Amino acid sequence: MTGRQPKTRQQRQNDKASQAERALARVDTEGEALGTSAFARTANRARDHLGAHDTDPNDPIEVWGTRIGRIGGAIFAIFLVLWLISHFTR
């Protein structure tokens, strides 16, 4: 004998409800933005990256320095790509 008593109907329903809640929470965390397009998610990530949303908001020097560096790098990369296209299509 195991000494375990069978679960009541209410306990089984509570178990199923808690399993469903855990599954919904997992889907919510894994499927970060259901209903939005991949382009919109990529654009939002790029905006957050260039806007330095991953830095300490209490340090304005770090925020602005990061913004200037990232935007400057993006401008340089665009210029470099355009120059290379221009150079190799002559």
Side-chain angles (χ1 to χ4, degrees), residues 33-73:
L34 296 175
T36 60
S37 69
F39 180 75
R41 286 193 307 267
T42 303
N44 287 338
R45 287 179 59 206
R47 183 194 66 221
D48 291 345
H49 179 73
L50 292 175
H53 290 282
D54 58 338
T55 59
D56 181 16
N58 296 324
D59 187 2
I61 301 299
E62 180 182 2
V63 171
W64 280 102
T66 303
R67 286 179 183 168
I68 291 168
R70 289 179 180 174
I71 291 171

